[in-house]
Amino acid sequence: MLEVVLSFVVILIVFLVLPLIIGQTEHKVMAHMQSRLGPMYAGGFHGWAQLIADGVKFAQKEDVIPAAADRRIFMIAPGVALVPYLVVLIVIPIDRDRVAVDLDLGLFFVLAVMGIGVLGSIMAGWASANKYSVLGGMRSAAQLMSYELPLVLAASSVAMAAGTLSLPSIVEAWQWWWLPWQAIGGVVFFLAGLAELRRPPFDMPIAESEIIMGPMTEYTGMRFALFMLSEYAGIVVLSFLTTVLFLGGWQGPFLPGWLWTLLKVFLLAFVVIWLRVTYPRLREDQLQKLAWAVLVPLALVQLALTGIIKVLI
């Protein structure tokens, strides 16, 4: 019982700390790539106080709820967006013996719970009584329906290759030559995950130049901060899942397994930030075309390739 409690405490600490580290890293990476001065000088040495300044800013803002809003749904939407990512971390292994709960259907559980997080954005859009928020919520729903299919198909390819839905067992079955074998599925999974998180260049539900801030338009203070935290928590979860499914998780030479896992996670998080800085936002039609005309066929090709190779070996 004590071991289970300690595991949950560690997961909670990871959940609270890693998104903040990713957020601070995004400030620094974007500052270097786009020559932003503020995040490099806030507080002095290398802008160490930027994250603290953001926290103070959110904390001191007034918590406003629109008069026409559905108050109950409006208030719980940030929690619906954030909590599923904490639940997902329970079944993701950090090392061979470091996983809180090893579910036989762990992959199925993860994919099902991740879809709930997107509902927080849809709820926020509907409950805000704001036309821009409703448009953002509708775009979130469209992205969820479009990109859930390639996400599941790509993950299914790895499960088929490993012969199990247990995440630790998938890592145990992983071999180095899976990198080229499952490369297509890995790219599809990562891009589809970014789209579900509504990260640039897939941030059409937010699109501040068109619909202000989408579902989050009417949110202020700490509720808005919870939405931002859920975005960074989603990056952590997506990076962990991509690491576990396609990059061998804790497997690697010389270093401890948990350190290999974290190194791969931070490398993928850097790629997420890099993509934000590099590529412009897609149009809505381009977003849907990418999902249905590119990612779904590629995911099906990966499934077929996996089936052929499994028969041959």
Side-chain angles (χ1 to χ4, degrees):
M1 182 63 182
L2 180 60
E3 184 177 349
V4 174
V5 173
L6 289 176
S7 297
F8 278 97
V9 170
V10 170
I11 289 172
L12 184 60
I13 293 173
V14 169
F15 181 76
L16 294 175
V17 172
L18 284 185
L20 298 179
I21 295 175
I22 299 299
Q24 181 77 342
T25 302
E26 183 167 57
H27 283 305
K28 303 308 174 186
V29 171
M30 293 180 66
H32 281 292
M33 290 184 173
Q34 297 181 330
S35 298
R36 297 185 176 193
L37 296 180
M40 299 305 297
Y41 290 97
F45 176 73
H46 207 67
W48 64 270
Q50 181 62 52
L51 195 65
I52 299 174
D54 286 341
V56 172
K57 175 186 69 176
F58 287 128
Q60 70 181 4
K61 284 187 174 181
E62 183 180 1
D63 186 12
V64 177
I65 300 178
D70 185 323
R71 296 181 63 89
R72 183 177 300 175
I73 303 300
F74 185 89
M75 289 189 291
I76 67 174
V80 174
L82 179 62
V83 172
Y85 295 118
L86 171 60
V87 176
V88 165
L89 283 178
I90 293 173
V91 299
I92 296 179
I94 298 177
D95 203 342
R96 180 171 278 103
D97 299 318
R98 288 194 173 102
V99 55
V101 180
D102 181 6
L103 295 178
D104 292 336
L105 298 177
L107 181 57
F108 176 81
F109 174 82
V110 163
L111 295 176
V113 174
M114 280 185 67
I116 297 175
V118 183
L119 295 180
S121 178
I122 300 172
M123 292 167 61
W126 179 85
S128 294
N130 178 301
K131 61 182 179 181
Y132 298 110
S133 299
V134 172
L135 285 173
M138 291 173 64
R139 289 182 177 184
S140 295
Q143 279 190 215
L144 172 63
M145 290 187 291
S146 299
Y147 283 88
E148 190 73 12
L149 181 58
L151 187 80
V152 172
L153 290 175
S156 300
S157 171
V158 179
M160 184 188 300
T164 178
L165 290 173
S166 168
L167 295 180
S169 299
I170 289 175
V171 180
E172 292 285 358
W174 188 88
Q175 302 293 330
W176 68 267
W177 49 271
W178 283 28
L179 284 173
W181 178 21
Q182 298 292 333
I184 297 175
V187 172
V188 170
F189 184 88
F190 192 69
L191 291 179
L194 282 180
E196 287 208 357
L197 293 176
R198 303 172 303 284
R199 286 284 301 184
F202 306 105
D203 59 338
M204 288 302 297
I206 297 174
E208 58 276 303
S209 59
E210 303 171 28
I211 52 176
I212 307 176
M213 201 63 181
M216 297 180 286
T217 298
E218 298 292 352
Y219 282 86
T220 59
M222 293 308 296
R223 289 197 178 93
F224 184 85
L226 288 177
F227 274 115
M228 299 302 296
L229 181 61
S230 69
E231 179 180 328
Y232 291 117
I235 295 174
V236 171
V237 168
L238 176 63
S239 300
F240 264 114
L241 285 176
T242 307
T243 295
V244 167
L245 296 177
F246 299 97
L247 299 180
W250 63 75
Q251 295 198 41
F254 309 121
L255 299 176
W258 62 269
L259 186 55
W260 270 114
T261 300
L262 292 180
L263 286 174
K264 295 172 185 178
V265 166
F266 280 112
L267 176 61
L268 290 172
F270 173 77
V271 173
V272 173
I273 300 169
W274 192 358
L275 290 174
R276 173 179 180 175
V277 176
T278 305
Y279 291 98
R281 180 183 302 124
L282 298 177
R283 295 196 315 263
E284 190 67 29
D285 61 306
Q286 293 173 327
L287 188 81
Q288 298 299 329
K289 185 177 181 180
L290 177 64
W292 296 105
V294 179
L295 296 188
V296 170
L298 284 176
L300 292 173
V301 168
Q302 179 67 77
L303 272 176
L305 181 63
T306 300
I308 292 171
I309 294 179
K310 285 291 287 184
V311 169
L312 293 178
I313 61 176

